[in-house]
Amino acid sequence: MTNQIENQQAYMEITNIIEVGEGMRVCLDFIDYLKPSEGVYVGNTGHGYIKVLSENRSSEGYPPRAFRINVGAFHQYLFQEEKTLYLDEVKPGEKVWLTDEEESRSLAVGRVKIEKRPFVRVECKTDQGSISATLQYSPSVHLLEKTKGETSVLNLKVGDQVLCLQDKPGRHLGEQVDEEIIEK
């Protein structure tokens, strides 16, 4: 993992969890096995992102899918070191940046699966404002919580601290730009 990324990663306190209804969610199925600690950073705005882990564990009603990350609502940003993509823009064959506890790598996506599912918005506070992600409200979606470790989104509570990546807002076609921008 680059020093720039390591310096921006931090556990952030959850301030709000809101059920927001049904919408289109994206699963990224990769061409190789993922480690349980591997994941991607997704978020509603350019202020930052929440790390979502691979489906590399059994959960209530779901067998492990060691090749998949259920990344949430298709409008979100997917952080990719130098730029962001909308989840809706990710195509099969495209390489996606993954991180785990010790390193990062790029791995090609084999399939993008989009289906209608229920969502929850997870909001975290930062020194500069807030970071949020819209995630499927499912036992198969796991985040990294500071004291609980790998935790299903169903078990999150206000006050929990999840691994986030802060960023400077302001994007045009995924590239960082210097401009005044308001995103909520």
Side-chain angles (χ1 to χ4, degrees), residues 131-148:
I131 291 174
S132 67
T134 304
L135 305 171
Q136 183 181 342
Y137 197 54
S138 169
S140 68
V141 178
H142 283 76
L143 307 181
L144 194 55
E145 202 280 329
K146 189 173 186 177
T147 58
K148 298 175 188 175

Side-chain angles (χ1 to χ4, degrees), residues 25-84:
R25 75 94 161 108
V26 175
C27 282
L28 299 178
D29 291 348
F30 291 88
I31 64 167
D32 199 358
Y33 290 109
L34 304 175
K35 299 176 194 171
S37 59
E38 281 186 306
V40 296
Y41 284 97
V42 296
N44 289 316
T45 70
H47 294 276
Y49 320 93
I50 295 175
K51 185 172 182 178
V52 181
L53 300 174
S54 69
E55 287 190 24
N56 207 324
R57 62 200 55 74
S58 295
S59 56
E60 183 181 314
Y62 294 90
R65 301 283 191 245
F67 53 85
R68 173 176 290 168
I69 301 176
N70 181 338
V71 288
F74 73 151
H75 74 275
Q76 295 188 106
Y77 287 132
L78 173 66
F79 184 79
Q80 293 296 287
E81 280 192 299
E82 301 298 323
K83 63 178 186 168
T84 60

Side-chain angles (χ1 to χ4, degrees), residues 110-129:
R111 174 175 74 157
V112 178
K113 185 178 180 188
I114 301 174
E115 299 172 301
K116 186 167 265 191
R117 294 292 186 262
F119 285 108
V120 62
R121 179 181 169 100
V122 177
E123 299 175 350
C124 300
K125 71 177 177 179
T126 72
D127 296 338
Q128 291 79 37

Side-chain angles (χ1 to χ4, degrees), residues 96-109:
V96 168
W97 186 68
L98 300 161
T99 67
D100 75 1
E101 296 142 346
E102 298 155 8
E103 59 189 12
S104 63
R105 66 176 172 149
S106 290
L107 185 62
V109 172

